[in-house]
């Protein structure tokens, strides 16, 4: 999920003898060059400047998006777990760097190239399951819309691809549908038991 998909693909590319299958959803694992330039520009104008820094460090803006990225109200005890590591401004600098490195379009180049390199190394070498949730908000782009160029790259690169379109969800689908996600992934894992 999300940035974890990039790290997982990186691990799999470096340890092909240890990984035979992956499941991912709402993640960055391959370049997305067809993203509109307007989105690319809007994102980096927000994140890269002084205002972006203030929002992340002082306002804890990105963690506050957890509530917006889930379709169900999250109980306070769950939110407390999310917020626990990021109580001080100094603790939020990794979040700041994380969002500067998120690949939107072909920027930043180091993230885009890293993804493309791992993707090329893994083509046709493992079984991939992609779980896709239809967005509730149509204005929020889905990471892998079934008819997108992005999705087509996966379909052409992985001969063993299980492309599962699930119900309505948002970015934090693991919070909206924890049981559904677990059950779907468990069925995938059973193939290799």
């Amino acid at each position: 999920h999300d940035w974890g998909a990039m790290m997982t693909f990186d691990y799999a590319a470096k340890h092909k003898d240890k990984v035979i299958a992956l499941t991912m959803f709402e993640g960055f694992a391959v370049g997305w060059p067809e993203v509109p330039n307007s989105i690319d520009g809007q994102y980096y104008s927000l994140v890269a400047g002084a205002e972006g820094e203030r929002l992340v460090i002082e306002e804890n803006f990105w963690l506050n998006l957890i509530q917006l990225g889930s379709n169900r109200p999250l109980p306070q005890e769950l939110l407390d777990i999310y917020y626990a590591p990021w109580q001080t401004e100094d603790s939020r600098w990794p979040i700041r760097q994380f969002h500067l490195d998120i690949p939107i379009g072909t920027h930043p180049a180091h993230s885009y190239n890293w993804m493309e390199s791992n993707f090329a190394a893994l083509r046709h070498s493992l079984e991939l399951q992609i779980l896709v949730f239809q967005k509730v908000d149509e204005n929020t782009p889905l990471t892998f819309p079934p008819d997108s160029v992005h999705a087509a790259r996966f379909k052409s690169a992985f001969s063993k691809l299980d492309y599962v379109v699930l119900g309505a969800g948002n970015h934090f689908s693991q919070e909206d549908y924890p049981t559904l996600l677990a059950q779907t992934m468990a069925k995938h894992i059973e193939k290799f038991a």
Side-chain angles (χ1 to χ4, degrees), residues 38-53:
S38 59
I39 295 177
D40 191 344
Q42 289 170 7
Y43 180 81
Y44 284 104
S45 65
L46 169 64
V47 171
E51 178 62 8
E53 181 174 308

Side-chain angles (χ1 to χ4, degrees), residues 119-135:
F119 186 77
L122 291 173
R123 288 174 65 92
H124 309 297
S125 65
L126 52 71
E127 181 160 325
L128 179 65
Q129 180 187 53
I130 298 180
L131 309 183
V132 180
F133 283 82
Q134 299 297 335
K135 291 293 186 185

Side-chain angles (χ1 to χ4, degrees), residues 62-125:
W62 291 107
L63 279 183
N64 292 334
L65 290 179
I66 292 171
Q67 291 282 40
L68 299 178
S70 176
N71 296 323
R72 68 182 176 97
L74 301 180
Q76 189 59 48
E77 58 267 25
L78 183 56
L79 290 174
D80 289 343
I81 294 172
Y82 275 113
Y83 280 90
W86 322 108
Q87 295 297 310
T88 66
E89 291 187 3
D90 283 345
S91 70
R92 297 171 193 156
W93 284 104
I95 301 176
R96 165 70 171 161
Q97 187 61 49
F98 161 72
H99 287 96
L100 288 174
D101 285 340
I102 284 179
I104 305 293
T106 58
H107 303 99
H110 65 271
S111 293
Y112 177 79
N113 293 334
W114 179 39
M115 283 194 303
E116 288 293 290
S117 174
N118 290 332
F119 186 77
L122 291 173
R123 288 174 65 92
H124 309 297
S125 65

Side-chain angles (χ1 to χ4, degrees), residues 1-10 22 24-29:
H1 174 70
D2 208 290
W3 201 243
M6 286 184 67
M7 292 185 282
T8 301
F9 265 61
D10 184 65
L22 296 173
M24 61 179 292
F25 65 99
E26 290 291 325
F28 302 95

